[in-house]
Amino acid sequence: MSVVEGDPFSFLGSAAVNPAEIVRPTSVEEVQAAVRAAAASGTPLWTVSRGKNLGYGGAAPRVPGSTLLDLSGMDRILEVDDESGYCVVEPGVTFLALDEHLRATGSRLMPSVPDIGWGSVIGNALERGFGYTPHGDHSAYMCGLEVVLADGTLLRTGMGAFPDSSAWALYKGGYGPSLDGLFVQSNLGIVTKMGVWLMPRPETISVCQIGAPSDDDLAPLIDTLRPLLLDGTIQSNVVIGNAPVIASMVSPRAAWWTGAGPMPAAAVDRITAALGIGRWNARCAFYGPPALVAARLDVLRGAVSAFDLKVTTYPGDVDPADVHPADRAQLGIPSTDLIRMAEWRGGTPAHTDFSLVCPPTGRDAVRQKELIERKVEAHGFDYAGGFTLNPRHAIALALVSFDRDDPAEAAAVAALFPELIADAAAAGYAPYRAHVAYMDLIADRYDAYDSAHRHTVERIKDALDPAGVLSPGKQGVWPAGHRSTRGAVPR
Amino acid sequence: MSVVEGDPFSFLGSAAVNPAEIVRPTSVEEVQAAVRAAAASGTPLWTVSRGKNLGYGGAAPRVPGSTLLDLSGMDRILEVDDESGYCVVEPGVTFLALDEHLRATGSRLMPSVPDIGWGSVIGNALERGFGYTPHGDHSAYMCGLEVVLADGTLLRTGMGAFPDSSAWALYKGGYGPSLDGLFVQSNLGIVTKMGVWLMPRPETISVCQIGAPSDDDLAPLIDTLRPLLLDGTIQSNVVIGNAPVIASMVSPRAAWWTGAGPMPAAAVDRITAALGIGRWNARCAFYGPPALVAARLDVLRGAVSAFDLKVTTYPGDVDPADVHPADRAQLGIPSTDLIRMAEWRGGTPAHTDFSLVCPPTGRDAVRQKELIERKVEAHGFDYAGGFTLNPRHAIALALVSFDRDDPAEAAAVAALFPELIADAAAAGYAPYRAHVAYMDLIADRYDAYDSAHRHTVERIKDALDPAGVLSPGKQGVWPAGHRSTRGAVPR
């Protein structure tokens, strides 16, 4: 039996890192028992909430012989509070399930969802995933964690340290140091409950699509939108995609180009003409009472007059069936449609993602676009990607879809990513997230001040998990006993 | 020489806890040297940024014989970035200095400031202090810390772990676990630099004052305003004060009542009549382009029609001299006017604050008001206080001003606070912040799951500061060697 879908390392030409065993607890007590057993036996536990982090390795553990601790069976929605706008969930709760629950119970709250809704609400927040509503920065909207430590200790963070606090999911701070951040992209504990802030479903949502006709419009587009994000006129992030990435959401590559090598400009022109989109396409949304949404829209209209603006307005309680598929993310409606993006090149669909942090400026975006495009095309892939623009940072995203069963493509992907990381580092940028196979490679770049950050996390790791059994190698953090194997990709 | 103003423990009838020595570094290297010397000698270091946290103990260390590490000499503003909206500062930078710098350099950014502007920007954020603009939750707007650990290790958090990252003060996440929260209300390290997000100065700011005539209006007032905070119509927090606390900002108590015991209702009526205020008074502000501010105001007007609403509108670049003193906090203009609140009862001014976290509902606010009022009045003080209402939590504040040289008043304050903490805990509430003298008393209430939170912080403390020299006892966190003295108030 395998919960690892396919073999996330096969593109590296290596053996699969499938877990030796799978444990599926249904309660906190069973999680505590599992960590105690792991510490006693010395067998590493690799924890996944639902294991759907596919572009980054899915449920594959870093260390061969690990036991997979699969939390998908802990799938209760424990509380929904319409009055103060939060829910408390277990790790197995998916975005699809949360949305269904809120609708079925008549809640006035709406979730923020990532591109694909089958993943875990907790897992996504802990990996610093994001959605496209005003609550799109998912790790910023968590409030209150319950965590099982490596020795079985049960810990509640923030106000949860006060017995039966009514403010556990309401006030992040608590008393004394905040521990929440320790459990993000982490192997320091296992999160078994999380408070998640949800926004009230607004009266109106207007989704805006801004098309820019030329490749050269990237910088002006970003520099036009950033001030509106910074002053709060735009309430969500702005997701910016080039024509190929938009095409991959609705069609296979073969519909536009069947030749070898990267898609030529003429094929991209066919995409923009046929789909009625720009070379760059930005999406954001406004939320609130109609008069406030209209006032925001007026500001946007004045700012983007050089571009093509399309606005679609929905009542906040619109039936999901009446929403255009492209607008769902801004409305917090989960779906699995975008799985098809991995089918872009045909064959056995696989994809891996590259996510680079950068300042939210046009000049940084252009530098990142050029370095990613150059490298991706050099390996024969299309540059299908873009940016998620936030008030103070952008994430440059490249989605590399490939045929896992094509040895040449798999080899090209395996060669591409280390080069991308090196090129980005040379230009002063770093990814915030990593495929399991590249966790050390990226961690090695975060080496300022003699790698003080990593060494500090390692000191905490050794203090909290002396046996070193919780997800060794996660994000490049290894327990004392494994540090000599650091950096070796499993083969 | 003493930087401890007066004796913050004298009201407890105990000896002063003045530091044995004071070290004032002017560079990170000097901080590193100081911690290494402390570790070598075993002498505790008690770190303050400026030591102005007066209602909570000022610069007084918890342990007698400590060396005070006073960071006020590290007062450089290292960077201001108008384009992306942030600054990077050292611990000695005050709100007054930051405001002056931004104005002198023609920056388009504005700070968020607490009630009194002489304190440290870094210190306030690290103590979870707050201001009254959209960036009022100061710890939420820090991004990127530089920290000296107990062994002299220099650490940069978040993207700062990537060498020369251009996104250190822009993206909070970084790669792997987030360490920032560890250094909040903490003795795990010494923060020597911080990125702080600043908002662009808006075109227009409208300050709203909402007066409610009756004591019974507290619950309806809060329940009317909470939905507008939750849906983002109101961009700042709402600060709600009763008539005595408003009076204490502009007058001595003797102007209204000179009798013994708590001020009677007739005196409070004189305050409301003379100052033209309500029994409860809420303040918030709207920020942005005039049309958007007007649309927000329309929503507020519709919601608070049962109360008295006064609106004052300023251009964002108004000259501070033209701003009503009561509106400064909402405009991010620092001042020291409110120092006079401590002079309420005359004599040698002293005050101490009680800050309770609660859900943002009318029923919770009324319960807190009643328990605080009952207890404060039982000890002969006026209930001068209110609430800071945020989208998902409120902080109930009681400001107890007293004459430090009046032995009866000092004894009453010493008796009052432990009782307040006990009463609040019995009702299910806890403070988020503490006077140095009560840090253990409050920490003891955060004892869920066999005090798992405190014990986890202690394990991290022992790993990062094995000699136990950084601010022992801070927020009730003691190093291994001092844990037996936990809970003993210094005498």
Side-chain angles (χ1 to χ4, degrees):
Chain A
M1 173 185 187
S2 171
V3 291
V4 179
E5 312 203 4
D7 173 358
F9 289 104
S10 66
F11 71 91
L12 298 171
S14 67
V17 182
N18 263 308
E21 199 188 334
I22 296 166
V23 175
R24 275 214 185 80
T26 56
S27 70
V28 171
E29 292 73 22
E30 287 178 18
V31 174
Q32 291 174 295
V35 298
R36 289 187 183 116
S41 69
T43 308
L45 278 181
W46 185 263
T47 304
V48 296
S49 296
R50 298 208 64 103
K52 292 296 193 185
N53 197 12
L54 294 191
Y56 299 98
R62 177 69 180 81
V63 173
S66 296
T67 295
L68 191 78
L69 186 69
D70 169 10
L71 303 180
S72 61
M74 295 173 68
D75 60 355
R76 292 178 302 163
I77 296 167
L78 297 164
E79 194 182 351
V80 174
D81 187 301
D82 272 29
E83 192 177 39
S84 299
Y86 71 86
C87 64
V88 179
V89 295
E90 291 186 328
V93 174
T94 66
F95 292 97
L96 289 162
L98 177 59
D99 178 65
E100 191 182 314
H101 178 85
L102 294 172
R103 290 179 187 278
T105 55
S107 167
R108 293 182 303 105
L109 303 175
M110 63 177 258
S112 177
V113 307
D115 286 316
I116 299 173
W118 63 15
S120 160
V121 173
I122 286 184
N124 187 274
L126 292 180
E127 294 301 321
R128 302 199 174 96
F130 50 84
Y132 304 95
T133 70
H135 285 213
D137 181 357
H138 292 165
S139 66
Y141 287 89
M142 61 188 208
C143 182
L145 304 181
E146 180 183 87
V147 185
V148 173
L149 299 181
D151 64 354
T153 293
L154 187 66
L155 165 75
R156 289 194 176 188
T157 66
M159 295 304 294
F162 183 77
D164 304 318
S165 172
S166 51
W168 184 35
L170 290 173
Y171 177 64
K172 291 184 188 179
Y175 181 75
S178 288
L179 300 180
D180 305 66
L182 289 185
F183 304 106
V184 175
Q185 288 190 351
S186 166
N187 57 13
L188 300 172
I190 295 168
V191 176
T192 49
K193 291 183 182 69
M194 182 188 283
V196 178
W197 287 354
L198 302 175
M199 63 183 275
R201 208 170 277 284
E203 208 176 326
T204 300
I205 303 176
S206 287
V207 183
C208 305
Q209 179 172 322
I210 304 150
S214 156
D215 246 17
D216 297 335
D217 288 328
L218 178 60
L221 183 64
I222 283 180
D223 291 331
T224 299
L225 295 171
R226 184 189 56 252
L228 304 187
L229 281 156
L230 202 56
D231 76 5
T233 300
I234 299 178
Q235 299 151 282
S236 64
N237 53 23
V238 181
V239 57
I240 300 174
N242 66 7
V245 82
I246 306 287
S248 77
M249 297 175 188
V250 295
S251 57
R253 183 175 192 263
W256 313 104
W257 177 249
T258 52
M263 189 179 266
V268 179
D269 287 340
R270 282 197 292 279
I271 291 173
T272 56
L275 301 182
I277 61 175
R279 279 296 185 114
W280 290 106
N281 304 278
R283 298 177 69 81
C284 62
F286 296 126
Y287 305 78
L292 252 161
V293 168
R296 293 179 192 277
L297 267 173
D298 283 345
V299 177
L300 180 70
R301 272 200 194 92
V304 301
S305 56
F307 305 115
D308 176 38
L309 173 65
K310 288 181 199 140
V311 179
T312 312
T313 297
Y314 299 97
D317 61 356
V318 61
D319 185 325
D322 297 333
V323 175
H324 188 282
D327 294 340
R328 285 186 193 138
Q330 278 74 25
L331 269 73
I333 300 169
S335 84
T336 53
D337 292 356
L338 294 187
I339 287 293
R340 72 173 298 169
M341 293 173 81
E343 298 165 5
W344 178 239
R345 295 178 73 98
T348 305
H351 75 107
T352 187
D353 297 340
F354 188 64
S355 307
L356 222 48
V357 180
C358 75
T361 72
R363 61 184 179 280
D364 284 288
V366 168
R367 286 183 71 202
Q368 296 211 338
K369 176 245 176 198
E370 286 175 355
L371 86 81
I372 293 171
E373 185 177 49
R374 189 184 320 122
K375 190 56 71 183
V376 164
E377 291 189 354
H379 286 277
F381 297 101
D382 306 314
Y383 169 48
F387 298 85
T388 310
L389 183 65
N390 296 274
R392 286 181 183 76
H393 78 278
I395 302 288
L397 281 163
L399 183 87
V400 180
S401 302
F402 61 103
D403 175 0
R404 192 160 57 190
D405 293 338
D406 179 328
E409 283 196 11
V413 171
L416 167 62
F417 271 73
E419 292 178 22
L420 262 179
I421 294 165
D423 277 16
Y429 306 115
Y432 81 101
R433 198 170 182 179
H435 189 286
V436 175
Y438 297 122
M439 285 180 169
D440 285 324
L441 208 59
I442 296 175
D444 286 345
R445 297 290 180 174
Y446 282 81
D447 62 352
Y449 303 100
D450 299 323
S451 300
H453 196 281
R454 179 161 63 77
H455 292 320
T456 303
V457 176
E458 287 170 350
R459 288 163 77 179
I460 297 170
K461 175 72 175 169
D462 292 343
L464 298 184
D465 179 14
V469 291
L470 298 191
S471 300
K474 170 89 176 140
Q475 244 71 29
V477 175
W478 293 92
H482 291 62
R483 251 162 242 159
S484 58
T485 64
R486 223 189 143 264
V489 174
R491 277 171 198 279
Chain B
M1 173 183 185
S2 172
V3 292
V4 179
E5 312 202 5
D7 173 359
F9 291 104
S10 66
F11 71 92
L12 297 170
S14 65
V17 182
N18 263 309
E21 200 187 335
I22 296 168
V23 175
R24 275 213 186 82
T26 58
S27 70
V28 171
E29 292 72 23
E30 287 177 19
V31 175
Q32 291 174 296
V35 300
R36 289 187 183 117
S41 69
T43 308
L45 279 181
W46 185 263
T47 305
V48 296
S49 297
R50 295 208 66 102
K52 292 298 192 183
N53 197 12
L54 294 191
Y56 299 99
R62 178 67 180 81
V63 172
S66 296
T67 294
L68 191 78
L69 185 69
D70 169 10
L71 304 180
S72 62
M74 296 173 68
D75 60 356
R76 292 179 301 164
I77 296 167
L78 298 164
E79 194 183 351
V80 174
D81 186 302
D82 272 30
E83 191 176 39
S84 299
Y86 70 87
C87 64
V88 179
V89 295
E90 291 187 329
V93 175
T94 66
F95 292 97
L96 289 162
L98 177 59
D99 179 65
E100 193 182 312
H101 178 85
L102 294 172
R103 291 181 186 277
T105 55
S107 168
R108 293 182 302 106
L109 303 175
M110 63 177 259
S112 177
V113 306
D115 286 316
I116 298 173
W118 64 16
S120 159
V121 174
I122 286 185
N124 187 273
L126 292 180
E127 294 301 321
R128 301 198 175 96
F130 51 83
Y132 305 95
T133 70
H135 286 213
D137 180 357
H138 292 165
S139 67
Y141 286 89
M142 64 188 205
C143 181
L145 304 180
E146 180 183 87
V147 184
V148 173
L149 300 181
D151 63 355
T153 292
L154 187 66
L155 164 77
R156 289 194 175 189
T157 66
M159 294 305 294
F162 182 77
D164 303 318
S165 174
S166 51
W168 184 34
L170 290 173
Y171 177 64
K172 292 185 189 179
Y175 182 74
S178 288
L179 300 179
D180 305 65
L182 289 184
F183 304 105
V184 175
Q185 286 189 353
S186 165
N187 56 11
L188 300 172
I190 295 167
V191 176
T192 49
K193 292 183 182 70
M194 181 188 284
V196 178
W197 288 353
L198 302 175
M199 64 183 276
R201 209 171 276 285
E203 209 176 327
T204 300
I205 304 176
S206 287
V207 182
C208 305
Q209 179 172 322
I210 304 151
S214 156
D215 247 17
D216 297 336
D217 287 328
L218 177 61
L221 184 64
I222 284 181
D223 292 330
T224 299
L225 295 171
R226 184 188 56 254
L228 304 187
L229 282 157
L230 202 56
D231 75 6
T233 300
I234 299 177
Q235 298 151 282
S236 64
N237 53 23
V238 181
V239 57
I240 300 173
N242 65 7
V245 83
I246 306 286
S248 76
M249 298 176 187
V250 294
S251 56
R253 183 175 192 262
W256 313 104
W257 177 248
T258 52
M263 187 178 267
V268 179
D269 288 339
R270 281 197 293 279
I271 291 173
T272 57
L275 300 182
I277 60 175
R279 281 296 187 115
W280 290 104
N281 305 278
R283 299 177 69 80
C284 61
F286 297 125
Y287 306 79
L292 251 162
V293 167
R296 293 178 193 278
L297 268 173
D298 283 346
V299 176
L300 180 70
R301 273 202 192 91
V304 301
S305 56
F307 305 115
D308 177 36
L309 172 65
K310 288 181 198 139
V311 179
T312 311
T313 297
Y314 299 97
D317 60 357
V318 63
D319 185 326
D322 297 334
V323 174
H324 188 281
D327 294 340
R328 285 186 193 139
Q330 277 74 27
L331 269 73
I333 300 169
S335 85
T336 54
D337 292 356
L338 293 186
I339 288 291
R340 72 173 298 168
M341 293 173 81
E343 297 165 6
W344 180 240
R345 295 177 74 98
T348 304
H351 74 106
T352 188
D353 298 339
F354 188 65
S355 307
L356 222 49
V357 180
C358 75
T361 71
R363 62 185 180 281
D364 284 287
V366 168
R367 286 184 71 203
Q368 296 209 340
K369 177 246 173 196
E370 286 175 354
L371 85 81
I372 293 171
E373 184 176 50
R374 189 184 319 119
K375 189 58 68 183
V376 164
E377 292 190 353
H379 286 277
F381 297 101
D382 306 313
Y383 169 49
F387 299 84
T388 311
L389 183 64
N390 295 274
R392 286 182 182 78
H393 77 279
I395 302 286
L397 280 162
L399 182 86
V400 179
S401 301
F402 61 103
D403 175 359
R404 194 161 54 189
D405 293 336
D406 178 329
E409 283 197 12
V413 171
L416 166 62
F417 272 72
E419 291 178 22
L420 262 179
I421 294 164
D423 278 16
Y429 305 116
Y432 82 101
R433 199 169 182 179
H435 190 285
V436 175
Y438 298 122
M439 285 181 168
D440 285 324
L441 208 58
I442 296 175
D444 286 345
R445 297 292 180 172
Y446 283 80
D447 63 351
Y449 303 101
D450 299 323
S451 300
H453 195 280
R454 180 161 63 77
H455 292 321
T456 303
V457 176
E458 286 170 350
R459 288 164 77 179
I460 297 170
K461 175 71 175 169
D462 293 343
L464 299 184
D465 179 15
V469 290
L470 298 190
S471 299
K474 169 87 177 140
Q475 243 72 28
V477 176
W478 292 91
H482 292 64
R483 249 160 244 156
S484 59
T485 63
R486 226 191 141 263
V489 174
R491 274 170 200 282

